[in-house]
Amino acid sequence: QQARGIVVAEIQAITFNEFLPAILGRDAVERYTGYDDTVDPSIANEFSTAAFRMHTLINDDIEFFGNDGRAVRDEITLAESFFNPALLQEEGIDSVLKYLASSQSQEFDLQVVDSLRNFLFGQPGQGGLDLASLNIERGRDHGLVDYNSVREAYGLDRVESFADISSDPEIQQKLAELYGDVDNIDLWVGLLAEDHVRGASVGELSQTIVADQFQRLRDGDRFWYQNIFSDDALRQIESTTLSDIIVRNTTV
């Protein structure tokens, strides 16, 4: 149980100290002030069904690198990796982690790679489902309101034109063709179309929804690591990075 608690704490610290600042910017999440039993930590529909579905960040291939940066086997498409645990049995996780650490993610934008658009969950060579259309339909199935109404619900100003969402004329035109009115935009699509906040990888509403969710998950959790650990144990957890975890558990 003690080991489990430390592992949970490391995941929490890495998420808040490394992952969220990279996605949301450094000051998007407020500082921790302790457990608050009035905070509702439950998952918001807007978060789980739209804002945290950051599928456009995913690359369309998997490569396998050694510590010298050279490939140790041929790359494969992302679609070829679905339901294919034999790859890890053959190569182990080390070469995949080395590749991931050596590459960049895709942008949080309106582009989704082919493996997710056309081959999701299908048998190799047979095509499959379209994750983008699934995300849009899932939002409607869950009863999500439109992008503009969610902005208002989260305390942001409503947009009055497509130009208020994106500064890209092509995106403005495409949104206008598809939706006709700024009050008709599906939440997930609107989140992807937003201009990014300075210093962040996402737009204003995405930043607001994700920051709100993670803050409530933290502040409403009486077992949050900063509320449980102290002194040397807390300092050790706070100083542990994702790269430390990888080095300790692999040959990378």
Side-chain angles (χ1 to χ4, degrees), residues 105-171:
S105 73
Q106 296 292 309
E107 286 281 341
F108 186 73
D109 56 18
L110 289 163
Q111 304 298 317
V112 181
V113 297
D114 192 51
S115 292
L116 299 181
R117 283 294 313 276
N118 297 302
F119 298 101
L120 189 68
F121 302 140
Q123 293 298 315
Q126 294 183 349
L129 302 176
D130 178 355
L131 184 58
S133 65
L134 286 175
N135 283 342
I136 294 170
E137 291 298 339
R138 182 185 292 109
R140 297 173 182 181
D141 288 344
H142 280 240
L144 292 181
V145 294
D146 63 275
Y147 167 81
N148 226 359
S149 296
V150 176
R151 284 187 63 90
E152 185 176 31
Y154 274 81
L156 303 177
D157 293 334
R158 296 178 70 92
V159 298
E160 298 180 357
S161 69
F162 296 106
D164 290 339
I165 301 173
S166 172
S167 58
D168 186 329
E170 291 186 15
I171 293 177

Side-chain angles (χ1 to χ4, degrees), residues 12 23 34 69 109 148 168 171 194 216 227:
Q12 291 175 336
I23 296 293
D109 56 18
N148 226 359
D168 186 329
I171 293 177
E194 290 182 316
R216 290 189 293 104
N227 202 46

Side-chain angles (χ1 to χ4, degrees), residues 15 31 38 46 54 91 102 168 192 197 248 252:
T15 299
R31 293 180 62 85
T38 67
E46 296 81 11
M54 298 180 175
E91 302 295 338
S102 305
D168 186 329
L192 298 181
V197 175
R248 291 174 192 169
V252 176

